[in-house]
Every structure is written in structure tokens, then in C-alpha cells.
Amino acid sequence: MILKRTYIELTAVTLIALFALIVFPKFAQFYTIISSTIYVSLAILALSLAFIWGYGGILCFGQAAFFGLGGYAYAVGAWNFDATVYGALLAVIVPTVFAAALGYFMFYGRLSDVYLGVITLTVTLILFKLVNSTGGDAYAIGKAKLGGFNGMPGTPLLENPLTEEVLSPHALYGLAVVLLFFSYLLCKAVLASRFGRVVVAIRENETRAELLGYDARPYKLIFFSIGAGLAGISGMLFANAVFVAPTMFDMASTARILIWVIVGGLGTLVGPVIGCISLLMITTYLGKTGFVDPNIALGVILIVFVLLVPRGILPLLDDGLNWVLERLKISREKSGGRVL
Amino acid sequence: MTTDTLLETSGLCKHFGGVKALDQVDFSLAKGELRCLIGPNGAGKSTFFKTVTGQYAPTSGTVFFKGQPIGGLETSAIAKRGVGIKTQVPNVFDGLSVRENVWVAVRSTKDRRERDEIVQSTLVRMGIDHIANVTVGQLAHGQRQFVELSMVIAEDPELILLDEPAAGLSSEETVRLAEIIHELNRDHALIVVEHDMQFIRMIGQKVTVFHQGKILVEDTTDAILSNERVRDVYLGKSAA
């Protein structure tokens, strides 16, 4: 049954990815493609927290830090190397290594969940302050000026490593969709592996896992670092689609990711992606119309979900589907096996 | 310590503030031995298990397992050396299925097929294969006890510690558990903490009585049950 569900989910996700990659760009307007690139980039960020929080039980308030580090690492690499693809690689490596170093002290220090949340939030805010105060020519890494409050405008955009041509908005959108799809597959593969199963077991009962001979610390550390790498990919795409600025590290960014995951459904991978994209669409629409402040709307949505739909959108849809299937089964049995 | 000794503690102490939960415990268990631990509540039995498994670091004293010191090591490191435990309150992965619980416990092989075979044979052996795909959080207490025991069996440690395994079991389940313990004792050493004297009679060969963090007496089951001091501190005058 579980296997069947996994196949259904994988098939559905693949079909949606193909639709987004091939069909959608054919009829979408130019502005929609650019907006969609941002949505898809941020969906990878939502996926990264869904992965480590939903499956590893690591409530991290620092995904925005890894997201920002990914963006800045890309920009620094893109300014300094001949090919921007090296910047893209740095965008994955820097957050992953940073998370491994931070995680080492947190997990090997056996910090409780509350302290882990406090420390990751504090680190994010320190980075926000730090990057904000890098205005002026003195703050540069090679050719890359960090730019303080203004960020790093004019960062070279990603190029096709074969043709050395800058990616068009359509190509960047396609890349974002492909990266989201492969990030999802990576998460699925990790969770299906022995390593992933042990991580889930540790989330369920760390003491029992330790009593069975699993040292929880390296498992959590590796899992946490994978999540940071995914957030870095998101930051790199965001840097190309929007900008590189200290706001990537700010409190609002941190809070938004948590809301996407809660609304989409903690404990699922697809749910937070849906939550992220739908909430971004709502807040963008509200921002354009000026009908109500998008942040207030986001807060209200969070409260409604926490109180009324605490498991999130996807589990709610899943329950609804199960209910319908159950009804159909009962109807079929009542009608003597005939399909209604 | 002889070459036959599997577990040995010497002057083992565990203090919580001014409370001496374990006080100079000298304990020895031979390879392949089955030992029962009894004692009133607060005697130090569970603390002894937690100290041996590394959940508590000893305040002082030593713990040797297969001749190697293990006192103060990480819980996972001690488990890897061959110490498995079924805790007093079922300590399982509630959100996972019965099969997944047992699957995680198998560390002896990395081969997926071999692992699946061990899981299946353990589930059948314990008579819980019919609930293999049920989430453990949905099971009754007795079934959860058997799930945890299955995990310990699948882990295949050299020393198995069972903390009140018969608690909350029906009389049929208790008899089945006694059979399983005898079966396990063919190739594992076991220490069983238990309050149920009927159950001790079913499985007991040698019994150690804990009292106020110390070992009060060690002897055969029959001798313990007729021991005046044991009656006074634990069983009461009318027991046995």
C-alpha cells in the first residue's frame, strides 16, 4: 500500500514537472515566467525545511541563513570566476559546509530542540546584521563587493557552461523546475535509503535508536547539511531571478519558510511545495491589489491552519481522497460489486 | 574476572544529588547465563540497567563487558558492543510500522534482502507477523511489548536486558514470553528485572535481590523465595 502510494506520488510529481517544463512556458506570459521562476526557486527552500523538519525532526529557524549564504556564495563566485557555473557550485558547497560546522556543535553538544531553534535563529540574524554592515569598498571578496544594505546588484547571471551564453528567463525557469524536481527526487531517495530510515527512526525516538546502536549525532548532522545544500540551491536561483541582498537573511524570510511548511503539511515533501507556491501567489496578488497587507494575510492564514487544519493542505486532501474512495467502495459493495 | 564472565561491575555507584540509586554494586554475569533481578521499587534495578547501557554515566566504579571497560561510553557505542535492552515502558518508534521498527533494529547486515529475511523470521517467531504493517502507536500495550522484544531479538546482542517484560501481559502472553526467554537463553545471556514472582519461578535459575541501591543477596530462585531477609524487605511475611 505504502509502495503503491509512493508510485502514485512519483508519477503525479513527474507529470506535473513535465507539464511545468514543456507545456506551461508555451502559453505563459513573459511576466508569469519570471514570477514562476521565483516561486519555483523558493519552493526548493520550502522543500529543504520540509525535509529536515518533517522527516528529521530538526526544527531549524536558520534555513534563511543557508538560503542567503547560497545567494551570496553564488554572487561571489560569479564575480570572481570566469564561468558562473562555479558560483553555482559554491552556492551548494558554502551553506553545506557552514551547516556541517554549525551542526557539529549543536548535535555533538546534544542541544535540545528549543536551543537548536534559538541558535539557528540567532545565527541567521547575526548574518543579517553582518551582511548589512558590509557597505563600502573595503568589504569585498576578490572582485565581488558585498554592498551592505544594497546587496550585490549587477551580479553576473548564470550562463550555459557549453555556449557561455547567459540563460534567458525561460531557460532559467526551466532550470529551476528541473532543480526542484531533482531536489525532490534526492529527498525521496535519501528517505528510502537505510540512512533515511534511521533518521526517521531517530526523529521518532532518539533514545531507542541509540539503544539499538545508532549514534544519532552524525545522522542528524548529515541530514541537516543536505537540507542546507538544498536551501543553497534555492538561494542561487533566487539570486539569478531577483537579487542578492541582506533581506535573504531577515526575520520575514525565516518566518515565511515555516509558514509554507506548516500550511502545506509537515511530514510531506509535496505539501510544503504546494504551500509555498500557493501562498506566494496569494501574497503577490494581495500586494498588487493593495486590498490587505500581505503579511497580515499570511499571519491570518497561519493561525487558521494551526487551529483548524494543523496537519496542513496535503494531509487534508489525502484524507478527503481516502474518504471518497471509502464511500465508493461501500457503494460498490452495496450494489453487489457493480461499479457505479 | 574469569574468561567466562560477560558483564562485571565493581564498586558501581550512581548518585542523584544526595540519593544513592546505586551504591557499591559488585555484580557479575557469566556468558550464556540467565539472571533475574528483583527488589522493591526504588531499589536501583532500572538505574543499574541504565548505567550498564550508558544512559547514565556512573558516579564511580567500573563496568566491564567482555573484559573491556564500557562505563561512561555513549549508549550507541555500548549497544554496538553487544548490549541490547527492552525497557520498562515500551520504547518503540510509534510513528513507524511494526515491520519498520524491527527493520531498523537489524544492524548485523547491510544487505537489504538479508535484512528483510531477518525481519520476517523475527516477526513470525514472535507471532506478530499478522500486524507487520500496523503503525506501532495504534497497538495495545502487550503487543508493543512484543514489538520491542522483537527489535531486541532482531538486533541479536550478546547480552539482553529485559526490564519488566511481563508487565501488562495477559497470562497466555506471559507463558509465551517465558518460553521465548528460555529459547533466547540458548545463545544469549539475559538479565531480567521482574516483580511478578510467578514469572520469576517460570524462568528463574539465579536471582539477585537489590535493596536501597545495593545487592542484598544472590542465590537460586527457591533459596531466595525462602530467604527471611528478602521476605522482610521485599516479599512480605506472607509471600511464597
Side-chain angles (χ1 to χ4, degrees):
Chain A
M1 187 67 180
I2 293 167
L3 213 60
K4 197 175 165 189
R5 272 177 177 269
T6 305
Y7 283 130
I8 293 170
E9 185 185 317
L10 276 173
T11 309
V13 169
T14 307
L15 289 174
I16 292 168
L18 286 172
F19 174 83
L21 196 63
I22 300 164
V23 183
F24 180 70
K26 291 199 191 305
F27 63 81
Q29 291 178 343
F30 183 70
Y31 172 76
T32 312
I33 288 291
I34 291 173
S35 307
S36 302
T37 309
I38 300 169
Y39 298 165
V40 175
S41 310
L42 293 173
I44 299 176
L45 183 59
L47 183 74
S48 73
L49 186 65
F51 181 64
I52 64 161
W53 184 21
Y55 292 89
I58 304 166
L59 176 52
C60 172
F61 288 90
Q63 282 315 93
F66 308 131
F67 172 70
L69 279 174
Y72 271 86
Y74 167 76
V76 169
W79 278 105
N80 285 293
F81 297 117
D82 290 339
T84 50
V85 70
Y86 295 118
L89 286 177
L90 272 184
V92 181
I93 294 167
V94 171
T96 307
V97 171
F98 185 80
L102 178 66
Y104 174 80
F105 292 106
M106 293 193 304
F107 299 124
Y108 280 78
R110 299 249 186 224
L111 291 188
S112 66
D113 292 346
V114 176
Y115 283 104
L116 196 141
V118 170
I119 285 185
T120 49
L121 180 63
T122 308
V123 167
T124 310
L125 296 178
I126 287 171
L127 285 171
F128 176 63
K129 272 281 187 195
L130 186 74
V131 177
N132 252 319
S133 58
T134 56
D137 292 342
Y139 296 98
I141 301 172
K143 295 177 208 163
K145 288 179 186 168
L146 297 178
F149 180 75
N150 294 318
M152 300 174 74
T155 294
L157 296 177
L158 260 178
E159 297 154 355
N160 182 333
L162 301 174
T163 60
E164 295 187 357
E165 280 178 16
V166 171
L167 294 184
S168 66
H170 275 82
L172 186 65
Y173 165 76
L175 177 70
V177 171
V178 168
L179 286 175
L180 173 60
F181 180 62
F182 279 103
S183 299
Y184 165 79
L185 289 185
L186 173 75
C187 294
K188 275 284 182 194
V190 169
L191 291 171
S193 69
R194 179 171 171 268
F195 167 79
R197 288 186 187 201
V198 173
V199 170
V200 173
I202 290 169
R203 177 203 66 189
E204 283 292 318
N205 188 339
E206 189 166 332
T207 306
R208 172 36 80 191
E210 296 257 353
L211 287 169
L212 288 173
Y214 296 105
D215 187 348
R217 297 169 300 180
Y219 281 93
K220 287 167 112 176
L221 180 61
I222 294 169
F223 205 71
F224 181 64
S225 303
I226 295 172
L230 292 175
I233 294 174
S234 171
M236 179 272 291
L237 287 168
F238 190 82
N240 278 275
V242 192
F243 52 64
V244 183
T247 49
M248 291 175 86
F249 295 98
D250 70 5
M251 192 68 191
S253 295
T254 300
R256 272 192 318 178
I257 314 166
L258 292 165
I259 296 171
W260 296 335
V261 175
I262 291 168
V263 170
L266 185 65
T268 66
L269 292 176
V270 176
V273 170
I274 296 172
C276 166
I277 293 175
S278 48
L279 287 180
L280 281 171
M281 287 167 74
I282 291 169
T283 48
T284 307
Y285 174 77
L286 290 175
K288 267 195 294 191
T289 56
F291 174 64
V292 64
D293 185 273
N295 286 329
I296 292 175
L298 209 54
V300 171
I301 289 170
L302 174 68
I303 292 167
V304 167
F305 268 81
V306 167
L307 294 177
L308 302 177
V309 198
R311 291 173 60 216
I313 293 173
L314 199 70
L316 182 73
L317 291 176
D318 199 35
D319 288 349
L321 190 68
N322 282 338
W323 185 82
V324 171
L325 290 174
E326 200 61 36
R327 291 273 143 188
L328 281 174
K329 198 175 157 192
I330 292 167
S331 306
R332 204 176 296 153
E333 281 167 5
K334 277 184 182 168
S335 63
R338 279 182 288 116
V339 179
L340 293 176
Chain B
M1 188 179 351
T2 68
T3 50
D4 281 343
T5 306
L6 183 67
L7 178 75
E8 185 168 56
T9 70
S10 175
L12 187 64
C13 295
K14 180 64 194 173
H15 299 170
F16 297 101
V19 179
K20 293 179 178 178
L22 292 178
D23 188 12
Q24 298 291 332
V25 173
D26 297 326
F27 179 88
S28 180
L29 183 85
K31 286 176 181 166
E33 190 182 338
L34 168 58
R35 182 79 62 88
C36 292
L37 300 189
I38 64 169
N41 285 332
K45 308 177 300 290
S46 293
T47 304
F48 179 69
F49 270 12
K50 286 186 173 175
T51 311
V52 168
T53 53
Q55 295 176 79
Y56 291 155
T59 306
S60 63
T62 55
V63 184
F64 282 86
F65 182 67
K66 292 193 279 186
Q68 300 291 317
I70 58 166
L73 288 183
E74 287 287 337
T75 303
S76 57
I78 293 173
K80 272 182 190 162
R81 291 184 182 213
V83 180
I85 182 170
K86 197 214 84 60
T87 54
Q88 193 173 350
V89 177
N91 201 342
V92 287
F93 305 118
D94 276 331
L96 306 184
S97 70
V98 171
R99 186 183 298 281
E100 285 168 330
N101 267 265
V102 181
W103 195 92
V104 171
V106 181
R107 280 191 303 102
S108 56
T109 176
K110 286 185 176 169
D111 182 79
R112 187 170 275 229
R113 190 177 293 174
E114 207 177 322
R115 203 176 241 246
D116 289 344
E117 281 169 11
I118 294 172
V119 171
Q120 187 57 30
S121 64
T122 307
L123 293 174
V124 171
R125 180 182 180 184
M126 297 298 290
I128 53 171
D129 52 319
H130 61 290
I131 50 167
N133 296 321
V134 178
T135 306
V136 170
Q138 296 173 349
L139 296 177
H141 177 80
Q143 290 174 313
R144 286 156 61 82
Q145 292 269 48
F146 275 98
V147 170
E148 196 183 12
L149 194 55
S150 303
M151 292 164 78
V152 178
I153 292 170
E155 187 190 355
D156 196 24
E158 207 167 330
L159 170 63
I160 297 176
L161 310 176
L162 303 177
D163 198 350
E164 297 193 30
L169 297 188
S170 66
S171 51
E172 292 85 22
E173 285 173 330
T174 306
V175 171
R176 201 169 116 227
L177 178 66
E179 287 168 4
I180 291 166
I181 288 175
H182 281 300
E183 207 180 303
L184 284 173
N185 190 218
R186 285 182 205 149
D187 41 15
H188 299 84
L190 289 105
I191 306 176
V192 183
V193 165
E194 194 47 70
H195 277 296
D196 183 346
M197 296 312 292
Q198 285 292 101
F199 187 67
I200 297 283
R201 281 196 178 100
M202 277 189 234
I203 62 165
Q205 295 163 4
K206 192 174 176 185
V207 177
T208 299
V209 183
F210 270 70
H211 180 54
Q212 293 179 344
K214 294 181 177 185
I215 291 179
L216 182 72
V217 61
E218 266 180 2
D219 214 325
T220 60
T221 310
D222 290 338
I224 289 291
L225 292 175
S226 56
N227 185 302
E228 284 293 323
R229 287 170 69 202
V230 175
R231 286 181 178 216
D232 285 349
V233 303
Y234 178 52
L235 299 172
K237 297 281 183 190
S238 60

